[in-house]
Amino acid sequence: MKSKKCLLVTLILVSLTALSLSGCTPAAEKPADKPAETSTDSKTELPNPMVEQASTVAINEAIGFTFSTLPTGITDVKYYTISDNLAQADFILNRVSYTVRKGDALIDNVAGVYTDFQNGETKANSTGAAVLYQSNPDGMGLATWTQGAFVYSVYCETGFDLAGMEVVVNGVS
């Protein structure tokens, strides 16, 4: 009886060892002739919320509002919608690249810029709205304000000049 128990315990231990070792084998390789893009592996990708638009009219059709005005003299303009609540225009004015955004006034950080700026001052724009101008010595600049039901931002990564930024802010509505 004791030998049958020893044999049974030995068989159970050998079986468990074999099962545990089979879990340590590498996963099956993909066939070399199968391209990665047609692989059956499932990936989860988030959709890009930024959609390029052809014009301010297209922005309005996509999200229900758009820029009423943009500064004169801008070049290389590209329009975008972000999610369903933000309009964006990227352009160059006086050799400085700007990103202008307009969204619902409830948006917390319309600019999407998370920098602790070293300099800041508040000045009224041409319509009397209080605009917060912020900058860093490296030339990064940001202006944000609320006008009616919308919040606005103007951002430049380099080339900040307060007078130039004011021209852009006063040209955006």
Side-chain angles (χ1 to χ4, degrees), residues 131-170:
V131 180
L132 174 59
Y133 293 91
Q134 301 175 84
S135 65
N136 280 334
D138 64 359
M140 182 184 292
L142 175 67
T144 54
W145 72 100
T146 301
Q147 186 85 40
F150 296 102
V151 62
Y152 298 83
S153 71
V154 175
Y155 171 74
C156 64
E157 191 170 347
T158 60
F160 174 81
D161 170 67
L162 182 58
M165 183 72 83
E166 286 180 294
V167 167
V168 176
V169 166
N170 288 328

Side-chain angles (χ1 to χ4, degrees), residues 23-168:
C24 295
T25 60
E29 303 264 338
K30 292 182 206 171
D33 61 337
K34 189 173 189 179
E37 53 270 2
T38 60
S39 171
T40 57
D41 291 347
S42 62
K43 289 196 295 189
T44 303
E45 293 183 16
L46 294 175
N48 185 351
M50 192 172 208
V51 178
E52 189 165 356
Q53 302 293 340
S55 64
T56 57
V57 172
I59 290 174
N60 191 46
E61 290 170 357
I63 62 175
F65 65 89
T66 191
F67 298 100
S68 301
T69 62
L70 288 170
T72 57
I74 60 176
T75 61
D76 299 329
V77 184
K78 290 190 177 182
Y79 301 102
Y80 301 92
T81 53
I82 302 172
S83 298
D84 288 327
N85 62 353
L86 200 57
Q88 176 173 314
D90 295 339
F91 56 83
I92 296 174
L93 180 63
N94 297 326
R95 296 184 308 272
V96 177
S97 295
Y98 291 97
T99 295
V100 177
R101 289 184 173 179
K102 176 180 181 178
D104 185 281
L106 299 177
I107 295 175
D108 186 38
N109 182 347
V110 68
V113 176
Y114 298 93
T115 299
D116 290 327
F117 288 95
Q118 294 179 14
N119 306 308
E121 68 178 285
T122 301
K123 296 176 77 174
N125 68 4
S126 60
T127 63
V131 180
L132 174 59
Y133 293 91
Q134 301 175 84
S135 65
N136 280 334
D138 64 359
M140 182 184 292
L142 175 67
T144 54
W145 72 100
T146 301
Q147 186 85 40
F150 296 102
V151 62
Y152 298 83
S153 71
V154 175
Y155 171 74
C156 64
E157 191 170 347
T158 60
F160 174 81
D161 170 67
L162 182 58
M165 183 72 83
E166 286 180 294
V167 167
V168 176

